[in-house]
Amino acid sequence: MNETKPVTVAPAPEPTKTPAARPAAGPEQTGRQRAAELLQRQGVLAVLLAVVIAASFIYPTFASLDNARGVTIQASFLAVVALGMTMVIITGGIDLSVGSVFALGGVLAAWASQYGFLAALLLPLVVCGGIGLLNGLLIARGNMAPFIVTLATLLGARGLLLSLTDEGATTYLVPKDSAFGELGQGSVWGFGHPILIALVLFGAGGLVLQRTSFGQTLFAVGGSSDAATLMGLPVARTKILVYTLSGLLAGLAGALNAARLSSGVTIVGVGMELDAISAVVIGGTLLVGGAGSISGTLWGVLLLAVIQNLINQIGSLNSSYQSVVSGGFLIVVVVAQRYLARSRRST
Amino acid sequence: MTDTAVAPPTKSDQPRTPTSPLARLRDPAWYQRYGVYVAVAVVLLFNALFTEHFMTADNFRTQLVQVAPIVIVALGMALVIGTEGVDLSVGSTMALAAAFLPLYLGYGLVPALVVSLLAGAVVGAVNGALVSLVGLQPIVATLALFVGGRGLALVMADGQLKQIVNPDLLSLGTGSFLGVPLVVWIAGVLAVAVAFLVQRTTFGRQIVAVGGNRSAAALAGLPVKRVLIGVYVLCGVLAALAGILATARLTASDPSSLGTLMELSAITAVVVGGTPLNGGSVRVLGTVAGALLMQLLRATLVKHDLPDSTAQIAQAAIIIAAVYVARERRSR
């Protein structure tokens, strides 16, 4: 959403959106280069539109408004998690703990909902934000590998979740007709609150990334952590903030999910970190950091959700095919990205 | 200031100067290398003193049988991590290998085993090709088969758990030799073989060289791409073998749950065992000890009536501690 706007508004010869560290190859881009760049940046949106249009013709049930509501509400929780993951990955890091934090946030929210709306929202945010902060501190101040730190908090958060629920035996329910339940189940014009919240968050995330110095710093840190340090940017503080944000968003998504389901389910979120990473990668954000977009992640999440929905529509395919197709997509996208990036650099 | 003037950082072990035993205890590198053995010894000592029925042959047999598949997968993972890679797809590879078993057992045990191991080799070859030929980051390259591999296994098995009745295959899981279960023998022999591979063969030295500094290895004329593909293929085959053994022990092929979170257990074992995540060194014995430490720790907590969740939190703390120790050394 933030990506396409400036291109239509500003008649600048070159889209100014490209994040830091793209060497000026020359004053004029060749048509091929520009096509390659556009494909790399908005290819997912093209694929998503193609899939949606084709599916609407083949499966009349797919094109219904009800189905659109179902798909988007399912996607909204992953979208919120993937938003935080995008920022983390842009800084060159990774957050494997989000699935566990998502589940933990849901259980905490469901438990706290007996004490009112505010408690149900604040408790998961405080605890999950705290886990994110811990990740950030260990990674930025402790100088430890993000992969392994967040792997440890993945285990730790699930352990915490299990000990809170008597090894998963207790399920906390959200009181009926509570304000917190309404947060997950209510809707505006038929679209559930989680969808709207996700959209608002993506809008805000896009603005932060493109229009604030914090956003610029994210790209700079991901481009080269050392260079960013030399430039005097607050590298450690940025990293800490970004992991805290990721924890907060994962906790919020978990709380929304609990509100929607009216209970804190303990078995959710397993493997969610990898779904989120897939969505981010499919959306064109590079795992090496320094380049990426929030809008791409949104299309990536929607593409995964549409694939899942289509496989459900095709009765003869069981749900196992979903992961096969997602895995296949992932390979195609990352290999294509790789070659597009290579062709851009070589010319 | 130009970058060219700076010598490339090396990850090889620092030269070990002769030091007094006391000074050595203050050396973080010493902990990274031997900490895991100390920790295993401490856990064993604790159990000898405070846990009933722990230091018994029966208990050790149980613990070893449970840890054997993790050790087998972690051996392959250690090689991959040695090249500065990581393989997230091992759990899915286990499930895929298990899914092939019931399909081919009708032709006999050997064809089924061969097909199953081949599946692991193919997964590894795809991972290796994506990493070396396409140049993808290992996390991304193996993520695709992590996602897709289990789906493929489920598709092949129609999403169903299948009972295994072949007595030869089952004896692989339940049989024992000289009082030691077969799976433990297999894991032990493989550990020795991988240690030999790393320390005594050209391929082993190439793995360490590629992980230490890939461009230097390429400039030195090492077959970097072949080494990378070989390492991922080995990792895939070992994961497939672990899948076969686990299936034989469970007496059923269960593609939906077999091997879930195995990538995490294996990475944990490798890292706790002292292999640095940024490659350039492979600690085979440390990896075995790392897997054992996690297993013994969990068993200890469970025997003291602490819930599994506490064990999980303890595991998280140990990983952090292990990496913290590794960090001290790297930053010097």
Side-chain angles (χ1 to χ4, degrees):
Chain A
M1 59 184 74
N2 44 19
E3 213 75 6
T4 46
K5 205 184 355 167
V7 179
T8 51
V9 173
E14 255 211 331
T16 50
K17 292 286 86 186
T18 318
R22 189 157 62 85
E28 287 293 314
Q29 281 184 303
T30 66
R32 210 175 120 244
Q33 274 176 308
R34 203 174 295 171
E37 191 174 323
L38 196 69
L39 204 61
Q40 191 184 3
R41 218 136 19 85
Q42 294 303 343
V44 210
L45 184 56
V47 173
L48 177 64
L49 290 177
V51 170
V52 167
I53 291 168
S56 312
F57 280 111
I58 304 170
Y59 301 98
T61 46
F62 176 81
S64 70
L65 192 60
D66 269 350
N67 194 46
R69 284 179 187 141
V71 172
T72 44
I73 195 114
Q74 284 304 320
S76 58
F77 307 108
L78 179 63
V80 173
V81 173
L83 174 63
M85 183 71 83
T86 311
M87 296 197 181
V88 169
I89 290 180
I90 286 175
T91 65
I94 200 153
D95 188 350
L96 297 182
S97 69
V98 290
S100 298
V101 172
F102 175 84
L104 179 65
V107 166
L108 288 171
W111 177 79
S113 64
Q114 53 184 316
Y115 301 108
F117 179 83
L118 215 59
L121 209 55
L122 279 182
L123 182 70
L125 287 182
V126 168
V127 175
C128 298
I131 293 175
L133 179 67
L134 178 69
N135 282 334
L137 284 173
L138 288 170
I139 290 163
R141 299 260 182 246
N143 207 15
M144 294 159 71
F147 187 82
I148 208 77
V149 168
T150 56
L151 171 66
T153 44
L154 177 155
L155 288 173
R158 198 156 282 280
L160 198 59
L161 158 82
L162 288 175
S163 63
L164 283 176
T165 57
D166 306 319
E167 306 304 299
T170 308
T171 306
Y172 299 107
L173 296 178
V174 176
K176 276 201 165 54
D177 302 323
S178 64
F180 181 64
E182 182 65 19
L183 182 70
Q185 290 150 24
S187 59
V188 178
W189 304 312
F191 284 93
H193 286 158
I195 300 173
L196 303 173
I197 293 170
L199 284 177
V200 169
L201 287 172
F202 267 79
L207 278 179
V208 165
L209 219 58
Q210 303 296 337
R211 294 273 178 270
T212 67
S213 63
F214 174 67
Q216 301 261 301
T217 313
L218 286 194
F219 286 109
V221 168
S224 165
S225 196
D226 293 339
T229 311
L230 288 174
M231 281 156 72
L233 293 174
V235 174
R237 205 196 317 153
T238 307
K239 283 188 181 172
I240 293 170
L241 207 56
V242 112
Y243 285 96
T244 310
L245 265 177
S246 177
L248 280 173
L249 287 170
L252 176 67
L256 290 175
N257 191 44
R260 169 123 196 116
L261 301 174
S262 296
S263 64
V265 185
T266 52
I267 52 164
V268 293
V270 177
M272 192 180 208
E273 58 284 348
L274 296 162
D275 285 343
I277 296 170
S278 305
V280 172
V281 169
I282 288 176
T285 297
L286 300 181
L287 259 178
V288 284
S293 73
I294 299 282
S295 55
T297 298
L298 190 59
W299 312 138
V301 170
L302 279 175
L303 185 59
L304 289 180
V306 165
I307 290 170
Q308 180 177 14
N309 182 260
L310 277 178
I311 283 164
N312 291 341
Q313 304 263 338
I314 309 171
S316 59
L317 294 182
N318 61 44
S319 59
S320 322
Y321 281 93
Q322 190 220 327
S323 46
V324 178
V325 176
S326 306
F329 250 101
L330 198 58
I331 293 194
V332 170
V333 168
V334 289
V335 170
Q337 262 182 7
R338 181 79 197 163
Y339 282 112
L340 287 173
R342 206 178 270 176
S343 74
R344 254 206 297 167
R345 210 180 310 139
S346 62
T347 42
Chain B
M1 214 167 78
T2 56
D3 280 331
T4 44
V6 183
T10 54
K11 294 171 198 154
S12 59
D13 288 356
Q14 292 169 340
R16 302 189 64 78
T17 45
T19 44
S20 74
L22 208 66
R24 208 176 294 156
L25 279 179
R26 270 188 253 115
D27 180 11
W30 189 89
Y31 285 103
Q32 192 194 0
R33 187 156 211 182
Y34 300 106
V36 64
Y37 308 116
V38 177
V40 169
V42 168
V43 170
L44 286 178
L45 187 69
F46 174 87
N47 283 306
L49 294 177
F50 301 112
T51 315
E52 277 180 67
H53 313 301
F54 197 92
M55 305 301 269
T56 61
D58 262 354
N59 182 47
F60 278 114
R61 205 172 291 135
T62 314
Q63 303 303 336
L64 288 177
V65 165
Q66 282 181 8
V67 85
I70 301 177
V71 166
I72 294 173
V73 177
L75 287 172
M77 187 69 83
L79 295 178
V80 169
I81 290 180
T83 65
E84 206 175 357
V86 74
D87 188 348
L88 296 182
S89 70
V90 286
S92 300
T93 307
M94 285 176 72
L96 196 61
F100 273 106
L101 283 176
L103 298 181
Y104 287 88
L105 270 178
Y107 302 99
L109 178 65
V110 175
L113 289 182
V114 168
V115 170
S116 202
L117 290 173
L118 264 180
V122 169
V123 169
V126 172
N127 286 335
L130 288 174
V131 169
S132 71
L133 303 181
V134 184
L136 293 181
Q137 270 188 294
I139 295 184
V140 198
T142 56
L143 178 63
L145 272 162
F146 168 89
V147 175
R150 186 170 298 275
L152 213 58
L154 282 165
V155 167
M156 283 181 12
D158 278 331
Q160 281 166 356
L161 182 142
K162 291 206 173 82
Q163 293 293 328
I164 301 283
V165 286
N166 186 306
D168 296 331
L169 180 58
L170 291 181
S171 70
L172 261 182
T174 53
S176 60
F177 176 66
L178 299 177
V180 177
L182 275 181
V183 282
V184 178
W185 276 112
I186 295 173
V189 167
L190 284 172
V192 172
V194 172
F196 179 81
L197 175 86
V198 170
Q199 279 165 12
R200 296 266 182 275
T201 66
T202 317
F203 183 63
R205 287 200 200 102
Q206 287 172 342
I207 291 174
V208 175
V210 168
N213 189 332
R214 190 177 299 181
S215 16
L219 287 175
L222 296 186
V224 172
K225 289 180 177 168
R226 216 192 312 147
V227 170
L228 284 174
I229 294 179
V231 158
Y232 282 93
V233 167
L234 264 179
C235 187
V237 170
L238 285 170
L241 181 64
I244 293 167
L245 295 176
T247 303
R249 197 159 69 83
L250 295 169
T251 70
S253 163
D254 178 12
S256 64
S257 73
L258 184 73
T260 45
L261 293 182
M262 179 55 96
E263 61 286 342
L264 301 186
S265 304
I267 294 170
T268 304
V270 174
V271 171
V272 169
T275 301
L277 260 184
N278 58 346
S281 142
V282 181
R283 301 231 189 282
V284 177
L285 194 60
T287 299
V288 176
L292 255 178
L293 176 64
M294 291 324 221
Q295 176 70 31
L296 288 177
L297 199 75
R298 176 159 281 198
T300 307
L301 293 169
V302 168
K303 292 228 176 199
H304 283 272
D305 288 333
L306 283 165
D308 217 30
S309 54
T310 316
Q312 231 165 343
I313 297 173
Q315 211 167 342
I318 289 209
I319 298 173
I320 299 271
V323 182
Y324 188 78
V325 169
R327 167 211 79 117
E328 290 261 33
R329 178 162 161 272
R330 215 180 299 149
S331 62
R332 281 229 203 139

